[in-house]
């Protein structure tokens, strides 16, 4: 729960900075990627968060089964990019 609140705060801050540099429409349309340790265990939870449009995958991308699990987690979310 704390992680989710923190991510939402960071997302809102990023959108605020983008809005200051560009405009509100650009800020809202920008894709935000989760840059932490996204893996097969937390991918669904992270990708289900409003405002997280994708993730940077590190070590899990080197293991085909783990990477496929992340892809399936995305497929199981209600949001589609």
């Amino acid at each position: 729960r704390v992680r989710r609140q923190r991510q939402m705060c960071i997302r809102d801050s990023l959108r605020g900075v983008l809005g200051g540099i560009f405009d509100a429409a650009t800020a809202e349309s920008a894709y935000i990627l989760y840059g932490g340790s996204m893996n097969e265990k937390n991918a669904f939870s992270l990708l289900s968060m409003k405002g997280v449009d994708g993730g940077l995958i590190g070590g899990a991308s080197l293991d085909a089964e783990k990477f496929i699990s992340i892809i399936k987690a995305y497929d199981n979310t209600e949001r589609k990019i």
Side-chain angles (χ1 to χ4, degrees):
R1 180 150 173 85
V2 171
R3 176 184 232 172
R4 184 174 294 264
Q5 290 173 337
R6 190 170 129 218
Q7 298 308 325
M8 289 170 37
C9 181
I10 292 168
R11 176 205 63 210
D12 293 344
S13 294
L14 284 171
R15 295 220 187 271
V17 169
L18 290 172
I21 296 171
F22 302 104
D23 56 42
T26 300
E28 287 302 315
S29 66
Y31 290 113
I32 295 180
L33 303 180
Y34 178 80
S37 298
M38 185 177 288
N39 57 48
E40 74 283 2
K41 295 176 184 170
N42 63 15
F44 180 78
S45 174
L46 292 169
L47 293 168
S48 294
M49 291 174 58
K50 180 181 179 185
V52 175
D53 301 307
L56 301 175
I57 313 303
S61 68
L62 301 175
D63 182 314
E65 289 182 23
K66 290 179 180 179
F67 192 65
I68 289 168
S69 293
I70 294 169
I71 294 168
K72 288 180 179 178
Y74 174 77
D75 285 343
N76 288 327
T77 66
E78 293 181 11
R79 298 179 318 103
K80 299 295 179 215
I81 295 176

